[in-house]
Amino acid sequence: MRDDNDYMRLALAEAAKAAEAGEVPVGAVVVAPDGDVIAAAHNAPVGSHDPTGHAEIRALRDAARLIGNYRLTDMMLFVTLEPCAMCAGAISHARIARLVYAADDPKGGAVMHGPRFFEQPTCHHRPVVEQGPFGEDAAAMLKDFFRARRKS
């Protein structure tokens, strides 16, 4: 049986795909209650010409299509970076049961930082939120990506 480390490794592999494509390296994985990975995606707003093309949104869309329901009740989402406000809203609407993220995002995050989306009285569904494994790895991948972009 897989555990949080395995799922986050899959999300990190998705983040690496984003970096290879010149996108901000963020990856996400949706996991069903039985432990099966039903969707995996990486950031692609630039390549898809879609401002909503964040890893979380793309993974949630794929999972919803697969099961034929926009509500992903009892499912888990593993993501390499603390979600932004847009993604937190989508996570809430999808009714994700558990959100596990690797790296904090003090500047753009909206779960533990900024607006703390799930703590707002207007938020209708609040997943269990945990900072999971490989936060340093995810943060290093992001730092390396932006460092390389500044040099070019």
Side-chain angles (χ1 to χ4, degrees):
M1 175 111 180
R2 291 180 171 169
D3 64 12
D4 288 4
N5 291 321
D6 297 321
Y7 299 127
M8 195 61 77
R9 280 189 196 98
L10 293 172
L12 285 167
E14 287 294 324
K17 291 177 189 176
E20 290 170 15
E23 304 274 0
V24 175
V26 178
V29 174
V30 177
V31 179
D34 64 3
D36 284 348
V37 173
I38 64 165
H42 57 274
N43 264 10
V46 176
S48 66
H49 310 290
D50 179 1
T52 69
H54 290 198
E56 300 96 319
I57 301 279
R58 296 179 72 227
L60 292 172
R61 284 178 179 158
D62 289 349
R65 277 190 214 105
L66 182 72
I67 69 163
N69 191 336
Y70 76 99
R71 289 199 171 170
L72 304 175
T73 308
D74 297 327
M75 298 204 187
M76 298 176 284
L77 178 66
F78 289 79
V79 61
T80 59
L81 182 65
E82 176 185 350
C84 69
M86 174 182 69
C87 292
I91 291 163
S92 177
H93 282 282
R95 306 297 196 266
I96 289 291
R98 180 173 175 239
L99 167 65
V100 181
Y101 72 93
D104 280 320
D105 186 357
K107 185 176 178 182
V111 176
M112 302 307 287
H113 298 87
R116 297 179 185 255
F117 186 88
F118 300 124
E119 294 177 18
Q120 299 307 311
T122 54
C123 180
H124 297 294
H125 173 79
R126 294 166 180 83
V128 172
V129 177
E130 300 171 30
Q131 187 163 16
F134 304 114
E136 290 180 12
D137 297 298
M141 190 181 298
L142 287 156
K143 286 176 187 167
D144 291 347
F145 175 82
F146 287 114
R147 187 178 301 120
R149 293 189 59 99
R150 283 191 296 272
K151 289 180 182 179
S152 55

